[in-house]
Amino acid sequence: MVTALAAEQAQLLVDSRCELGEGILWCDRRKLLYWTDILAGRLWRFDPASAHSRYWQLQQALGCLALAEDGRLLLGLAKGLYSADPEAHLHSDALPLQLLAAVEADDPHTRLNDGRADRAGNFVFGTKSEHADGRRAGRFYQWSARHGLRPLGLPQAAIPNAICFSPDGGRMYFCDSPDGRILTASYNAGQASTGEVEIFATLAEAGVEPDGAVVDDEGGLWNAQWGAGRVLRYTPDGTIDRVIELPARQASCCVLGEDVLYVTSARIGLDAPVLDAEPSAGGVFTLSGTGVRARVDRVVLP
């Protein structure tokens, strides 16, 4: 049970006040954090050594991102995948983009949401339903420089999230957030195929949804839980063994940077009394001394 575990407390690192902070990444080569404020269309960058942060304003919602082997980033904007080189444009407000693949360009009722590099250099992501009734119109895809866009044989989703992979790359975790369950299936990166879908964990509390996730080198899955202001770590058999709380109820995504946990959050939908009580909502939070690390995966770009 969650309540039986002593909670660790995350601290505010960047007071970014994102409307919908998400998709946080740790670059081990440059020692930098990147994340998105999805609906604001902002790509954020933070340097822990200098405590300097900045963002680039984009022209579409930015749902997800990934590090690339050559130092660039892959950006999942509302209706397509793009490459960009923010480190080459540190002193510019403009960030040039190069289209890699259009995604569901003929469907005005979906946009890209969560995504993560797999262990083999591909990018796996989902599209979110923008239908007013929340119908499951979103789909899961793999993109690679070699094969382009390939659909994954997973159930359609309203809000795809929690995409991450086991240490050996042979198992994928994911969810449809409103369902309140984290799912898993075997995953073949070369064939862009998945096996039978199984339930990995169920969130039983009303108003609490699984969001962004990452898997550490021990196979533990860290999941940011929207509505609960926390990150839970699940062992490979689905047992909860750690609880990290943050002073912002809308925890949205997490990443491990060496021995440190970083967590994004959101302000969207919170009224004035809640924001008065949670002034750091939308910020990035951190917990040092996790005792575990996670592999940093990168996509291969053309």
Side-chain angles (χ1 to χ4, degrees):
M1 293 290 293
V2 176
T3 55
L5 296 170
E8 303 167 76
Q9 302 296 319
Q11 305 298 318
L12 181 66
L13 177 67
V14 186
D15 191 16
S16 50
R17 305 200 179 192
C18 292
E19 183 179 7
L20 184 52
E22 265 284 8
I24 192 161
L25 299 175
W26 169 253
C27 178
D28 56 336
R29 297 174 185 171
R30 293 187 167 116
K31 312 299 182 185
L32 298 173
L33 288 168
Y34 300 98
W35 69 97
T36 172
D37 187 348
I38 294 180
L39 299 181
R42 292 175 177 174
L43 170 65
W44 279 85
R45 175 192 189 272
F46 177 72
D47 181 353
S50 66
H52 179 262
S53 64
R54 66 151 299 172
Y55 64 80
W56 289 267
Q57 184 67 57
L58 306 176
Q59 301 305 309
Q60 297 182 42
L62 174 60
C64 50
L65 54 151
L67 303 170
E69 275 293 345
D70 63 4
R72 290 180 289 167
L73 294 183
L74 180 151
L75 303 181
L77 274 71
K79 302 303 291 184
L81 301 176
Y82 295 79
S83 62
D85 191 353
E87 298 306 307
H89 296 85
L90 286 178
H91 306 293
S92 173
D93 291 333
L95 183 61
L97 304 177
Q98 180 177 354
L99 180 66
L100 299 170
V103 179
E104 298 179 1
D106 58 348
D107 188 344
H109 299 295
T110 60
R111 68 159 174 83
L112 268 74
N113 199 54
D114 188 53
R116 189 173 290 277
D118 69 14
R119 309 298 191 187
N122 313 299
F123 187 62
V124 176
F125 66 95
T127 57
K128 175 186 178 295
S129 172
E130 297 282 76
H131 288 274
D133 60 6
R135 72 188 69 172
R136 293 180 173 87
R139 294 173 172 84
F140 293 88
Y141 297 91
Q142 181 206 83
W143 177 87
S144 68
R146 180 176 181 182
H147 298 289
L149 200 62
R150 296 191 286 183
L152 295 175
L154 296 172
Q156 288 187 244
I159 308 177
N161 260 316
I163 296 169
C164 54
F165 301 90
S166 61
D168 66 1
R171 181 153 293 274
M172 176 179 171
Y173 299 92
F174 61 99
C175 75
D176 185 358
S177 287
D179 283 347
R181 302 179 301 176
I182 302 172
L183 306 174
T184 185
S186 61
Y187 173 72
N188 185 306
Q191 297 179 6
S193 63
T194 54
E196 181 179 355
V197 175
E198 303 171 2
I199 298 171
F200 175 72
T202 299
L203 284 60
E205 300 143 285
V208 178
E209 299 180 356
D211 210 318
V214 67
V215 174
D216 63 36
D217 287 343
E218 297 176 357
L221 185 148
W222 302 67
N223 180 244
Q225 302 196 337
W226 183 276
R230 71 187 180 206
V231 174
L232 297 186
R233 182 184 187 267
Y234 296 87
T235 62
D237 67 0
T239 301
I240 299 167
D241 72 345
R242 293 181 75 168
V243 180
I244 294 86
E245 295 181 341
L246 50 148
R249 67 189 64 188
Q250 293 180 163
S252 54
C253 192
C254 55
V255 73
L256 289 161
E258 299 176 351
D259 194 26
V260 183
L261 175 72
Y262 300 101
V263 189
T264 52
S265 65
R267 300 169 71 84
I268 187 172
L270 300 180
D271 59 23
V274 172
L275 290 173
D276 286 343
E278 301 178 13
S280 55
V284 175
F285 298 85
T286 186
L287 175 77
S288 299
T290 63
V292 293
R293 294 171 182 256
R295 172 174 157 175
V296 178
D297 295 300
R298 290 174 165 83
V299 297
V300 177
L301 295 179

